[in-house]
Amino acid sequence: MTRIAVLVSGGGTNLQALIDAQRHAALKQGMLSAVISSSPTAYALERAKKANIPTYVVDRKGYSSNEEMTHELTSLLQELNIGLVVLAGFMYVLTDEIIQAFPNAIINVHPALIPSFCGEGAYGLHVHEKALAYGVKLSGATVHFVNQDCDGGPIILQKAVAVEDNDTPQTLQRRIMEQAEWKLLPKAVSLFCEGRLKVEGRWVKILPGL
Ligand code: GAR
């Protein structure tokens, strides 16, 4: 079994998708073992408690930099014997220490088709504001490994979602969550935990199941 930690900052609907997947035995060889929030008031913590998953708070406000927070997170994840770290609506950029401690073992869900509308400053609703301002007809979601480049690691899964004429950032966000994020993230987690993701340079090959 791979012990999974989910890092969150807000509402936690992607965490909920993982909890629901686990309930349906869809995470296969993975076990949700910790939810770590960057904020003590994140609703995601309530979702974790309801599902009896141990919760931890590493409050960004208690640290003077992302480096310091990353150091604390890395120690905690190692103490908890975590094999996969999932960033599910985690709103801070993690620094090198965690990437070196968990090489190709951190995955992130991003609410756009990378390399569009990503990088520093592209998180949450801002991503959808940028997509609408640009006038794209398709957006979507990407699940990728985390490396030293913000939103730049090898791509595991992507799904396109149509933009509609009357979309607001909120309606587009919701459609992308429903049609893409909540499906792709549990799928990528289960593939990882089954040992079916093979990283070759920028490519992630999905190995056949048994
Ligand atoms: C999700 O749309 C996620 O893709 C996005 O924030 C939202 C969190 O929602 N993440 C980023 O923008 C990271 N760059 P949730 O808390 O309900 O899962």
Side-chain angles (χ1 to χ4, degrees):
M1 274 282 172
T2 301
R3 287 171 56 77
I4 304 164
V6 185
L7 273 54
V8 296
S9 299
T13 65
N14 279 288
L15 167 66
Q16 190 65 51
L18 292 169
I19 292 170
D20 294 345
Q22 173 159 278
R23 201 166 283 139
H24 294 106
L27 294 187
K28 311 242 173 80
Q29 309 297 318
M31 191 173 80
L32 297 172
S33 304
V35 169
I36 306 175
S37 175
S38 61
S39 151
T41 57
Y43 184 67
L45 289 169
E46 304 309 313
R47 297 181 190 272
K49 283 175 194 157
K50 259 187 218 153
N52 290 320
I53 302 166
T55 59
Y56 305 83
V57 175
V58 175
D59 190 345
R60 176 63 181 85
K61 291 201 188 96
Y63 302 89
S64 63
S65 64
N66 281 357
E67 273 87 3
E68 265 191 31
M69 181 188 60
T70 301
H71 179 69
E72 181 64 30
L73 278 171
T74 307
S75 309
L76 177 60
L77 292 164
Q78 285 171 332
E79 233 168 73
L80 295 172
N81 202 15
I82 293 300
L84 172 64
V85 182
V86 179
L87 309 186
F90 189 73
M91 295 305 170
Y92 296 97
V93 177
L94 296 171
T95 57
D96 270 1
E97 183 179 357
I98 199 169
I99 292 152
Q100 278 162 23
F102 294 90
N104 288 334
I106 308 173
I107 68 179
N108 179 45
V109 58
H110 183 75
L113 294 173
I114 290 174
S116 290
F117 314 120
C118 64
E120 300 247 4
Y123 59 88
L125 270 184
H126 299 304
V127 178
H128 308 294
E129 284 162 9
K130 286 174 198 276
L132 291 176
Y134 199 94
V136 289
K137 300 293 185 192
L138 284 175
S139 190
T142 303
V143 178
H144 63 93
F145 282 113
V146 173
N147 67 7
Q148 62 292 339
D149 304 321
C150 179
D151 291 333
I155 290 172
I156 303 168
L157 296 171
Q158 285 188 303
K159 189 168 190 285
V161 172
V163 177
E164 293 177 5
D165 284 349
N166 297 323
D167 264 333
T168 62
Q170 287 79 3
T171 60
L172 182 58
Q173 178 184 54
R174 182 76 192 181
R175 187 175 321 107
I176 289 174
M177 284 175 158
E178 283 174 359
Q179 294 185 11
E181 295 185 52
W182 298 342
K183 293 177 181 161
L184 294 190
L185 187 60
K187 176 82 190 159
V189 167
S190 82
L191 287 169
F192 178 97
C193 295
E194 282 186 297
R196 291 176 56 196
L197 298 178
K198 187 161 178 241
V199 184
E200 292 180 0
R202 285 214 52 83
W203 281 89
V204 179
K205 296 217 167 123
I206 297 178
L207 305 175
L210 293 177

Coordinates of all heavy atoms in Angstrom, one line a residue, residues 37-40 57-63 69:
S37 N -3.1 20.9 5.7 CA -3.6 22.2 5.2 C -2.7 23.3 5.5 O -2.1 23.4 6.6 CB -5.0 22.5 5.8 OG -5.5 23.7 5.5
S38 N -2.6 24.3 4.6 CA -1.8 25.5 4.8 C -2.6 26.5 5.6 O -2.1 27.6 5.9 CB -1.4 26.1 3.5 OG -2.5 26.5 2.7
S39 N -3.9 26.2 5.9 CA -4.7 27.2 6.6 C -5.5 26.4 7.6 O -6.1 25.4 7.3 CB -5.6 27.9 5.7 OG -6.8 28.3 6.3
P40 N -5.6 26.9 8.9 CA -6.4 26.2 9.9 C -7.9 26.2 9.6 O -8.7 25.4 10.2 CB -6.1 26.9 11.2 CG -5.6 28.3 10.8 CD -5.0 28.1 9.4
V57 N -2.1 20.8 10.3 CA -2.0 22.2 9.8 C -0.6 22.7 9.8 O 0.1 22.6 10.8 CB -2.9 23.1 10.6 CG1 -2.8 24.6 10.1 CG2 -4.4 22.7 10.5
V58 N -0.1 23.1 8.6 CA 1.2 23.7 8.5 C 0.9 25.1 8.0 O 0.7 25.3 6.8 CB 2.2 23.0 7.6 CG1 3.5 23.7 7.4 CG2 2.5 21.6 8.2
D59 N 0.6 26.0 8.9 CA 0.0 27.3 8.6 C 1.1 28.2 7.9 O 2.1 28.6 8.6 CB -0.5 28.0 9.9 CG -1.3 29.2 9.6 OD1 -1.3 29.7 8.5 OD2 -2.0 29.6 10.6
R60 N 0.8 28.6 6.7 CA 1.8 29.4 6.0 C 2.1 30.7 6.8 O 3.2 31.2 6.7 CB 1.2 29.8 4.6 CG 2.0 30.7 3.8 CD 3.4 30.1 3.4 NE 4.3 31.1 2.7 CZ 5.0 32.0 3.2 NH1 5.1 32.2 4.5 NH2 5.7 32.8 2.4
K61 N 1.1 31.2 7.5 CA 1.3 32.5 8.3 C 2.4 32.3 9.3 O 3.0 33.3 9.8 CB 0.0 32.9 8.9 CG -1.0 33.3 7.9 CD -2.1 34.2 8.5 CE -3.2 34.5 7.6 NZ -4.4 33.6 7.8
G62 N 2.7 31.1 9.8 CA 3.7 30.9 10.8 C 5.1 30.8 10.3 O 6.0 30.6 11.1
Y63 N 5.3 31.0 9.0 CA 6.6 30.9 8.4 C 7.0 32.2 7.6 O 6.1 32.8 7.0 CB 6.7 29.7 7.5 CG 6.4 28.4 8.3 CD1 5.1 28.0 8.3 CD2 7.4 27.7 9.0 CE1 4.8 26.8 9.1 CE2 7.1 26.6 9.7 CZ 5.7 26.2 9.8 OH 5.4 25.1 10.5
M69 N 8.4 26.9 5.1 CA 7.2 26.1 5.2 C 7.4 24.7 4.6 O 7.0 23.7 5.1 CB 6.0 26.8 4.5 CG 4.7 26.0 4.6 SD 3.4 26.6 3.6 CE 4.1 26.6 2.0

